[in-house]
Amino acid sequence: MTSCSSTVGSSRCRAVQPEPLSDVVAGKVALHPCYSRSGHHHFARMHLPVAPACNLQCHYCNRKFDCSNESRPGVSSSLLTPEQAVAKVRHVAAAIPQLSVVGIAGPGDPLANMSRTFTTLALIREHLPDMKLCLSTNGLMLPDAVDRLVDVGVDHVTVTINTLDPEIAAQIYAWLWLDGERYSGREAGEILIARQLAGVRRLTEKGVLVKINSVLIPGINDQALADVSRELRASGAFIHNIMPLIARPEHGTVFGLKGQPEPDAAMTARVREACGEVMPQMTHCQQCRADAIGMLGEDRSQQFALLPVEASPQPWLPTLYRRTQLHASILTKGDADEKDACLVAVASTHGEVIDAHFGHADRFRIYSLSAAGAVLVNERFTPKYCSGHDECDPQEGDALFALLADVKAVFCARIGYAPWQKLEARGIQPCVDDAWQPINTALLRWWQRWRQQCAAKQPDQGVA
């Protein structure tokens, strides 16, 4: 991150250290290849092309379906139904265990396809409860969708904001559709910018990590992107991704056909440097396709054919357990594979303290405890054991216990006698003594005791 004392073109910049991340934010970032500078070397992502329509016409975009020879946003080799998307995620997750994030980024705008998008997200959450969900949007419909995104467990959202000036917006966008009306020119820019800012503020207020994408367009918004960084940082956005315009005539975009120049490397670096004065910059973006699969910098989408939707899909839990152990090994640089390491689950409202009742929790954070410390590995969305004070569903309870079968302990603020017994019967220790205590401190204290107990039980064999 850098700090510059004057304009975008200034070369007099000094290094500025980014603010340290909280444990909660660091845990969210670590497994997301688009948000983490190191994560993209180890974890894979998958984009689901389930959203064909768009409500905003950008001069740099030309959506193409059944296209396998271009690598840029807005193109896809196929369109998937929500059911096909879930089947494909299951297949890819089994083949690429490093997969940590599933996102919807097009080929149109996910929030211009509300039904398809939220049906897909809900199905993934139901059938792949440990998968991190994200979404990329132009932000026009974001204020109307924030609550639904939070409810389904989307905790990373990318919003493309290219300017905060309606006059500049009129040069970038041809039109937008909102509530059955078409708008263009400055009026469209005013509507879009106001709704983008409102949506970002609502997301960040609810604890969602927001990345801002901006397309760098020479002569149009190159002098305006520092203002985007400044305003969106004040609104709580986490990171800014300056993407150089792709405007080749063969892509068929307005800018490409009119000969709009692309920025060179020097301009891109200067703008990122100026924007870095106020917001961390993402510099490893690959401007991925709407159906990209694999690590950043690679696209394995053509390796995975569209599969039929299975009437009776194979059990997902064995894959979940394997993925969790692999992710723990990656995050701890192998310490999670040692004999004295283990996994535990934590019921926490915001990920800072142990404050949730076991029966009321709808998600558990899975931590690896090892010589590397207490490391957040993933978050598993689970059915609630109880829906009220006296309403507990044994069948839902069985599903919950199966989702926690690979952990050694469950930490929560309170737990009833029946689930306590069921956990113990499965070899899982219920822990309530550290209610309302910071998670990391409580987990490491428990781990030290657990190691000693295991060593005492098996003095000749070491810790099991």
Side-chain angles (χ1 to χ4, degrees), residues 3 9 31 68 81 99 127 139 146 163-164 177 228 241 259 273 283 287 296 309-312 357 387 399 404 455:
S3 175
L31 276 78
S68 61
T81 66
L99 182 68
H127 293 285
V146 169
T163 183
L164 300 178
W177 279 97
V228 174
N241 175 28
E273 192 173 47
T283 58
Q287 294 181 270
L296 291 190
V309 177
E310 299 175 282
S312 300
H357 190 296
S387 56
L404 300 177

Side-chain angles (χ1 to χ4, degrees), residues 270-283:
R270 287 197 304 271
V271 174
R272 284 174 175 168
E273 192 173 47
C275 292
E277 179 181 356
V278 289
M279 191 188 295
Q281 298 295 296
M282 176 184 176
T283 58

Side-chain angles (χ1 to χ4, degrees), residues 218-275:
I220 295 181
N221 70 346
D222 52 302
Q223 299 293 324
L225 289 182
D227 291 334
V228 174
S229 274
R230 189 172 300 106
E231 178 67 27
L232 273 298
R233 183 61 165 171
S235 297
F238 173 72
I239 196 169
H240 196 178
N241 175 28
I242 308 294
M243 305 183 299
L245 172 70
I246 300 174
R248 297 162 198 165
E250 61 268 26
H251 294 158
T253 66
V254 171
F255 280 152
L257 296 174
K258 288 187 175 182
Q260 167 66 41
E262 299 177 351
D264 59 20
M267 173 180 280
T268 302
R270 287 197 304 271
V271 174
R272 284 174 175 168
E273 192 173 47
C275 292

Side-chain angles (χ1 to χ4, degrees), residues 396-408:
E396 292 288 0
D398 289 342
L400 167 58
F401 296 124
L403 279 165
L404 300 177
D406 58 338
V407 306
K408 296 296 183 183

